[in-house]
């Protein structure tokens, strides 16, 4: 009986009918001729309610539903959540579905209404976009079945307390996977990089096709075959590439729901995959007060899983990052010349100058690329038309900060340090471009 009461819910239509009958009783007080008819209507309502109870409760549990989630959620991406429904009733039902989604999404009014045909299956899909890594706990999947009489509803509960971890963006990893095999990124509708020169690791001699570099024509082979033949070169392999992620307070700045740290983490995962597909060795580490989460550069099969697990646990510690500790750690542990992609953020030229001696020290032995971010809100302020004196003042200050970002790029270039100044949403594409450009030029 207790279970029955927990599952029984009266619908609004029942209360509307009951309110109508109460109104008729009030009318019958002034017009007694309606009194008996109103009682008959009340009995009819009770009979139909009993029939509705019998339809929904009299034949056992006739609804099966389940929530299908990915094995893990992809941070910063739209993740599909599928609800599968099986109606075993011999009549169509109206289903009201209330899914208790994780509190991190702050979605308090999630409700779906569906019509499900008799003895049939149905499916509903919705999307969730997490903005932080960690564990996301789903509550119960509540299913309210309503018969054609629409007087009551029977509640079913499924998938109680389901936990799904949220990992760095593996959806982006799949999206950019093919970039490992081509430098022509324009085919993705994104951006084309300029290929400057080529590496000198010989691969094979092949027939000339339009677009091949005429400087690579092999004249001896051309004379033998009586047709143009060219030398084909391939990028050098097994080079070390490390992603160094600053997890200090400068990386906590939010953009479109994600922190700069999360953008760097997502990009590190994608770039690591590209690096391994290009037959190079991918490694990573994070730093702030100390260097942590170290994964030694390798290209073994399990490397991507190890990098993903390391990225999953990274959190901002809100300290000012110690670049001297980073310099000492790289000097001690990275002995072979490597490409180091350093994700950090410099807002002012003075901030760069404080860390420049350590960056120059790293760049002496390694190819260092500093990846930092444009402040997109400043760009919006710069592009906005100023109408008051205060807005003019704000615009001038914003232009000053934007100009300092460009000065930082020039300052780094003076000391042979490469840089990528990008907007957070373009971070993945721009870093892949920079890596492929470095491979194409053979400067590592």
């Amino acid at each position: 009986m207790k279970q029955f009461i927990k599952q029984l819910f009266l619908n609004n239509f029942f209360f509307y009918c009951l309110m109508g009958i109460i109104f008729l009783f009030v009318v019958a007080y002034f017009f007694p001729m309606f009194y008996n008819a109103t009682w008959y209507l009340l009995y009819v309502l009770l009979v139909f309610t009993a029939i509705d109870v019998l339809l929904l409760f009299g034949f056992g549990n006739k609804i099966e539903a389940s929530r299908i989630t990915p094995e893990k959620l992809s941070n910063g991406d739209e993740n599909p959540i599928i609800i599968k429904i099986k109606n075993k009733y011999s009549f169509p039902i109206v289903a009201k579905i209330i899914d208790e989604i994780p509190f991190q999404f702050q979605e308090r009014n999630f409700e779906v209404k569906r019509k499900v045909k008799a003895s049939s299956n149905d499916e509903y899909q919705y999307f969730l976009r997490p903005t932080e890594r960690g564990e996301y706990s789903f509550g119960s999947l509540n299913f309210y079945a309503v018969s054609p009489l629409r007087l009551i509803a029977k509640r079913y509960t499924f998938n109680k307390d389901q936990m799904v971890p949220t990992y760095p963006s593996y959806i982006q990893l799949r999206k950019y996977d093919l970039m490992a095999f081509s430098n022509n990124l324009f085919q993705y509708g994104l951006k084309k990089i300029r290929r400057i020169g080529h590496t000198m690791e010989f691969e094979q001699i092949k027939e000339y096709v339009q677009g091949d570099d005429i400087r690579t024509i092999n004249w001896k082979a051309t004379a033998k075959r009586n047709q143009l033949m060219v030398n084909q070169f391939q990028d050098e392999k097994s080079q070390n590439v490390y992603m160094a992620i600053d997890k200090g307070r400068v990386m906590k700045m939010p953009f479109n729901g994600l922190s700069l740290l999360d953008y760097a983490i997502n990009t590190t995962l994608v770039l690591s995959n590209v690096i391994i597909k290009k037959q190079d060795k991918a490694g990573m580490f994070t730093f702030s007060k100390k260097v942590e989460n170290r994964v030694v550069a390798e290209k073994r099969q399990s490397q991507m899983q190890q990098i993903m697990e390391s990225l999953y646990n990274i959190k901002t510690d809100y300290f000012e990052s110690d670049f001297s500790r980073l310099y000492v750690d790289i000097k001690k542990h990275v002995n072979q010349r490597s490409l180091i992609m350093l994700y950090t953020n410099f807002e002012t030229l003075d901030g760069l100058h404080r860390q420049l001696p350590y960056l120059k020290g790293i760049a002496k032995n390694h190819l260092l690329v500093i990846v930092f971010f444009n402040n997109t809100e400043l760009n919006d302020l710069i592009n906005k038309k100023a109408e008051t004196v205060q807005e003019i003042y704000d615009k001038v200050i914003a232009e000053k900060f934007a100009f300092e970002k460009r000065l930082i790029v020039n300052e780094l270039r003076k000391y042979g340090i490469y840089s990528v100044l990008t907007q957070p949403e373009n971070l993945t594409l721009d870093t892949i471009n920079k890596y492929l450009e470095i491979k194409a030029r053979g400067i590592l």
Side-chain angles (χ1 to χ4, degrees):
M1 189 62 166
K2 185 177 180 181
Q3 182 69 18
F4 169 76
I5 293 173
K6 283 185 176 181
Q7 291 182 316
L8 177 64
F9 286 81
L10 299 175
N11 285 334
N12 290 339
F13 184 63
F14 174 86
F15 291 105
Y16 295 152
C17 293
L18 190 60
M19 289 171 61
I21 291 172
I22 293 172
F23 175 76
L24 290 176
F25 272 116
V26 174
V27 172
Y29 178 80
F30 299 100
F31 303 96
M33 64 186 75
F34 295 116
Y35 184 73
N36 290 333
T38 304
W39 273 107
Y40 290 137
L41 289 176
L42 179 59
Y43 295 145
V44 169
L45 175 62
L46 294 177
V47 168
F48 274 101
T49 302
I51 293 173
D52 210 0
V53 171
L54 184 62
L55 288 174
L56 291 175
F57 288 84
F59 304 99
N61 294 327
K62 292 289 187 176
I63 294 293
E64 292 181 5
S66 60
R67 180 199 305 115
I68 309 298
T69 65
E71 182 180 344
K72 52 184 177 288
L73 300 178
S74 177
N75 193 28
D77 298 311
E78 297 288 347
N79 296 265
I81 310 295
I82 299 172
I83 297 175
K84 291 190 174 183
I85 305 165
K86 186 174 184 179
N87 178 20
K88 297 181 181 179
Y89 287 110
S90 58
F91 51 84
I93 63 167
V94 175
K96 184 171 76 171
I97 304 167
I98 299 177
D99 197 1
E100 297 175 2
I101 63 179
F103 71 89
Q104 289 96 331
F105 296 102
Q106 293 297 299
E107 185 70 43
R108 303 178 186 276
N109 299 308
F110 182 88
E111 182 180 309
V112 177
K113 289 187 177 180
R114 309 256 319 162
K115 290 183 179 180
V116 186
K117 296 179 180 179
S119 303
S120 66
N121 298 331
D122 193 17
E123 188 175 289
Y124 176 76
Q125 180 176 267
Y126 65 95
F127 294 87
L128 294 177
R129 181 180 181 266
T131 55
E132 56 185 60
R133 287 159 287 111
E135 296 181 350
Y136 284 64
S137 295
F138 288 82
S140 299
L141 175 62
N142 300 289
F143 189 100
Y144 297 85
V146 180
S147 75
L149 295 177
R150 298 169 53 201
L151 294 172
I152 68 165
K154 181 179 181 181
R155 184 178 75 172
Y156 294 85
T157 303
F158 305 96
N159 293 102
K160 188 176 181 181
D161 299 329
Q162 181 181 7
M163 194 280 289
V164 182
T166 297
Y167 275 75
S169 179
Y170 60 85
I171 290 179
Q172 285 191 41
L173 185 149
R174 296 168 185 166
K175 176 181 176 182
Y176 294 107
D177 200 13
L178 288 178
M179 291 185 182
F181 303 102
S182 172
N183 287 343
N184 298 321
L185 304 189
F186 63 92
Q187 62 184 299
Y188 294 85
L190 298 172
K191 180 182 178 183
K192 180 180 178 181
I193 66 169
R194 181 184 176 192
R195 187 178 179 93
I196 306 174
H198 55 75
T199 55
M200 299 306 295
E201 190 168 324
F202 178 78
E203 182 178 17
Q204 64 176 349
I205 300 174
K206 70 179 188 70
E207 294 181 7
Y208 174 84
V209 295
Q210 187 173 0
D212 284 338
D213 190 345
I214 60 173
R215 294 173 298 175
T216 63
I217 294 177
N218 187 318
W219 295 108
K220 289 185 178 180
T222 297
K224 289 180 181 179
R225 294 288 299 274
N226 200 26
Q227 59 179 341
L228 284 176
M229 305 293 290
V230 294
N231 294 330
Q232 184 172 345
F233 300 90
Q234 63 180 0
D235 294 334
E236 294 180 14
K237 299 177 181 179
S238 298
Q239 295 176 307
N240 288 346
V241 183
Y242 280 94
M243 277 68 67
I245 303 174
D246 182 353
K247 61 177 185 178
R249 61 171 174 253
V250 296
M251 296 293 282
K252 190 60 180 174
M253 183 183 296
F255 178 82
N256 197 21
L258 287 179
S259 67
L260 296 182
L261 177 63
D262 280 311
Y263 279 103
I265 288 171
N266 290 344
T267 300
T268 296
L269 182 64
V270 176
L271 184 57
S272 298
N273 185 55
V274 173
I275 289 166
I276 292 172
K277 291 292 178 66
K278 295 286 283 185
Q279 301 299 313
D280 281 334
K281 299 176 182 178
M284 61 151 287
F285 49 85
T286 64
F287 73 99
S288 179
K289 295 296 286 183
K290 58 182 179 179
V291 178
E292 299 176 301
N293 308 105
R294 182 181 289 103
V295 178
V296 178
E298 294 288 350
K299 59 177 179 180
R300 58 193 173 196
Q301 192 173 4
S302 61
Q303 188 74 353
M304 282 303 300
Q305 184 62 32
Q306 189 174 352
I307 289 174
M308 180 177 284
E309 293 297 333
S310 297
L311 292 172
Y312 175 74
N313 295 313
I314 296 174
K315 291 182 174 60
T316 309
D317 59 15
Y318 300 99
F319 290 112
E320 183 174 356
S321 298
D322 188 348
F323 280 77
S324 64
R325 183 68 60 86
L326 174 67
Y327 166 69
V328 171
D329 189 271
I330 290 176
K331 193 171 183 63
K332 181 179 179 181
H333 293 100
V334 186
N335 300 319
Q336 183 180 343
R337 178 174 169 81
S338 305
L339 168 60
I340 297 178
M341 307 286 291
L342 173 57
Y343 299 93
T344 186
N345 198 29
F346 295 113
E347 290 293 339
T348 64
L349 202 55
D350 289 337
L352 171 67
H353 282 150
R354 287 198 298 270
Q355 314 300 344
L356 196 55
Y358 310 115
L359 299 178
K360 288 160 61 178
I362 296 171
K364 283 182 180 178
N365 301 313
H366 305 280
L367 181 60
L368 179 62
V369 178
I370 306 293
V371 183
F372 63 113
F373 301 89
N374 261 322
N375 191 325
T376 53
E377 292 189 6
L378 285 182
N379 293 339
D380 295 338
L381 187 59
I382 291 170
N383 296 327
K384 181 181 176 182
K385 183 178 179 181
E387 297 179 352
T388 65
V389 174
Q390 181 63 42
E391 289 179 352
I392 293 173
Y393 176 78
D394 293 340
K395 188 171 182 178
V396 170
I397 297 299
E399 289 177 345
K400 177 182 178 295
F401 279 112
F403 180 65
E404 282 213 42
K405 291 279 187 178
R406 297 192 291 273
L407 288 179
I408 290 172
V409 173
N410 292 333
E411 189 72 10
L412 291 171
R413 188 182 296 124
K414 282 184 356 185
Y415 299 102
I417 301 173
Y418 293 84
S419 62
V420 177
L421 176 59
T422 182
Q423 296 182 358
E425 71 268 25
N426 297 329
L427 176 63
T428 301
L429 175 62
D430 288 341
T431 50
I432 292 176
N433 266 289
K434 179 57 72 172
Y435 166 70
L436 293 178
E437 179 187 335
I438 289 170
K439 291 294 291 181
R441 295 175 61 183
I443 56 178
L444 177 56

